[in-house]
Amino acid sequence: MEEIYLDNCSTTPLFTEVMEAMYKAQLQYGNPSSLHFKGIQAEKYVEEARKIIAGALKASPEEIIFTSGGTEANNLAIKGLAYRHYRKGSHLITTPVEHPSALNTFQQLQQEGFSVSYMRIDQDGYIDLDYLKTMLSNNTTLVSFIHVNNETGTIQNIKNICRMVKDFNPNILVHADGVQALGKIPLRPGQYNLDALTISAHKIHGPKGTGALWIKNGVLLQPLFQGGNQENNLRPGTENVAGITGFGKAVSEYINSYAGKVANLHRFKHLFFQELKEKVEVYINGPELKQGAPHIINLSFPGIKSEVLIRSLEEQGIYSSPGSACHSRNNQPSHVLVSLGLNKERIDGAVRFSFSVLNTEEEIEYSAKQVAHCVKDLQKLVF
């Protein structure tokens, strides 16, 4: 069998339709800020994508701010809101299981004088809402959390979190990192009473280097860059017309037969785990099979180091990951799994498998068999 890609949390291959749409957009080489015909043509591509993405979120087009990706969108949301509302309070709340693009941003803000508190989570990665309630104060200006965890697939309850925060003080801002949620679970930020939401293209078969921040109408944030007045004066610089077009097309393609796509992801995850469970001893790191995101499963196998198993699978043409690609080469234990309270053996052996709508049932069954085979061979060398 040819290569099987099971690292779709890191990035996804482009839909063919996305490549075609980007090629057409690239031919419109005008600057979308220019007033002449070429500029207007390019601007139409940008605004059409904005409408598509806003429609998917049940939002208004003017609430969509395009960025270079999820990392920039997280930085713009967290820093932009913290800086803009500093005079109202300097206390920020987040979780210890954030993506590095958010976690490192909060650490920098802490160095700049902000007070940062970290929510308590349970062994499956869920936020302790009772504890969160005790953390809120009159000095709190921002609560930020990852909606779907990129390593474990834990899905936080946005509605309950927003309700608790807003009941305490409706002026406290709430931001969610929705990068792994887009296309996998329904996202309706306005209905959740969120103030900001981060999304990205390359997790749903769109192009790398393109993301967006949904910012609720009326919510003010401070731009991180100075320049032109693009993107409602919040993100200066000439828009990436082809990338934005590809983002819009990816969202459009995902919305088409959305329920069927999500059902397939659930089916792949369950099939993969059931096949493994019948052949080897395996542990799920994170929520139970039915509770987590449809496309993510994090597993450990007794006595097996993750990097050894990943290399063995790669020799079989199967690609997986130990966790977030943004810090997978630093040889440090996963901060997410450490926060879950897992023992060292489970953490050292954790492998994340993440599926996409481009996978097939045949690939999933074959991959599970190969994983079991590799695990058994490696365990013979260990035990």
Side-chain angles (χ1 to χ4, degrees):
M1 183 170 285
E2 297 181 358
E3 295 179 353
I4 300 176
Y5 185 72
L6 301 181
D7 192 21
N8 291 279
C9 276
S10 297
T11 195
T12 55
L14 289 174
F15 282 141
T16 301
E17 294 84 356
V18 169
M19 288 189 279
E20 293 171 349
M22 291 178 68
Y23 176 75
K24 291 179 181 178
Q26 195 66 44
L27 297 178
Q28 302 299 331
Y29 53 83
N31 187 319
S33 295
S34 297
L35 296 179
H36 51 63
F37 179 67
K38 287 294 184 182
I40 293 173
Q41 282 183 311
E43 183 186 25
K44 286 181 178 179
Y45 277 86
V46 173
E47 295 311 314
E48 177 61 24
R50 201 188 307 276
K51 289 179 183 178
I52 291 171
I53 295 168
L57 299 179
K58 303 299 181 185
S60 300
E62 61 268 20
E63 294 177 309
I64 305 298
I65 306 301
F66 288 117
T67 68
S68 65
T71 291
E72 185 190 339
N74 271 342
N75 273 260
L76 178 57
I78 296 166
K79 290 181 180 177
L81 292 172
Y83 292 154
R84 182 65 175 78
H85 300 273
Y86 180 74
R87 292 185 179 181
K88 297 178 182 179
S90 59
H91 180 226
L92 316 174
I93 298 176
T94 188
T95 82
V97 294
E98 297 300 296
H99 185 273
S101 64
L103 198 61
N104 292 339
T105 299
F106 277 105
Q107 291 171 354
Q108 180 180 329
L109 288 171
Q110 198 164 10
Q111 293 174 4
E112 295 176 10
F114 286 87
S115 171
V116 180
S117 298
Y118 295 88
M119 303 181 220
R120 182 183 295 166
I121 62 168
D122 66 17
Q123 61 184 6
D124 293 328
Y126 293 105
I127 292 169
D128 183 336
L129 293 179
D130 291 334
Y131 187 74
L132 170 59
K133 190 173 183 178
T134 68
M135 301 172 71
L136 298 169
S137 74
N138 292 330
N139 193 40
T140 305
T141 54
L142 174 65
V143 174
S144 177
F145 60 94
I146 189 167
H147 183 19
V148 172
N149 190 272
N150 57 299
E151 292 193 32
T152 63
T154 305
I155 304 172
Q156 303 297 347
N157 191 319
I158 285 188
K159 290 183 180 180
N160 288 348
I161 294 170
C162 287
R163 184 183 301 114
M164 174 175 289
V165 173
K166 298 295 184 178
D167 283 349
F168 179 85
N169 183 350
N171 293 319
I172 296 176
L173 301 165
V174 184
H175 161 254
D177 177 349
V179 167
Q180 292 293 347
L182 182 64
K184 313 305 190 307
I185 60 177
L187 278 180
R188 305 289 184 264
Q191 295 177 17
Y192 305 150
N193 208 10
L194 273 174
D195 296 290
L197 176 75
T198 296
I199 55 176
S200 183
H202 76 112
K203 309 297 187 179
I204 57 165
H205 307 281
K208 300 175 183 65
T210 306
L213 176 67
W214 171 86
I215 187 76
K216 185 179 180 180
N217 277 331
V219 173
L220 302 176
L221 68 127
Q222 182 173 316
L224 302 187
F225 310 132
Q226 282 65 54
N229 60 359
Q230 293 92 345
E231 300 302 303
N232 290 341
N233 295 302
L234 294 175
R235 203 279 183 175
T238 303
E239 290 94 344
N240 175 4
V241 177
I244 290 170
T245 299
F247 193 178
K249 188 62 176 178
V251 169
S252 177
E253 289 297 318
Y254 229 102
I255 291 173
N256 184 29
S257 302
Y258 167 80
K261 289 183 173 68
V262 173
N264 272 341
L265 292 174
H266 274 293
R267 185 165 57 86
F268 290 161
K269 185 174 78 166
H270 283 254
L271 175 62
F272 185 77
F273 182 72
Q274 293 302 324
E275 288 283 339
L276 278 176
K277 191 173 68 170
E278 293 176 2
K279 297 175 176 62
V280 293
E281 187 177 359
V282 57
Y283 301 99
I284 297 179
N285 302 316
E288 295 180 7
L289 208 60
K290 294 181 180 180
Q291 294 180 337
H295 63 304
I296 304 172
I297 188 166
N298 192 306
L299 304 173
S300 291
F301 305 88
I304 303 299
K305 298 283 189 179
S306 60
E307 62 269 23
V308 177
L309 178 57
I310 287 169
R311 295 304 179 197
S312 296
L313 292 174
E314 187 174 349
E315 292 176 359
Q316 305 300 319
I318 300 169
Y319 295 90
S320 58
S321 169
S324 172
C326 292
H327 65 171
S328 62
R329 297 188 182 186
N330 63 9
N331 294 321
Q332 296 295 318
S334 162
H335 68 282
V336 173
L337 300 186
V338 169
S339 297
L340 266 58
L342 299 181
N343 62 42
K344 187 176 186 301
E345 182 182 12
R346 285 273 290 274
I347 294 173
D348 289 346
V351 179
R352 181 188 67 187
F353 299 93
S354 46
F355 314 105
S356 91
V357 296
L358 297 181
N359 289 129
T360 66
E361 185 172 317
E362 182 184 13
E363 288 179 339
I364 300 304
E365 290 180 338
Y366 176 81
S367 297
K369 291 176 182 178
Q370 290 302 312
V371 171
H373 178 74
C374 288
V375 166
K376 289 178 179 178
D377 282 351
L378 292 171
Q379 286 176 335
K380 290 177 182 177
L381 302 175
V382 175
F383 298 117

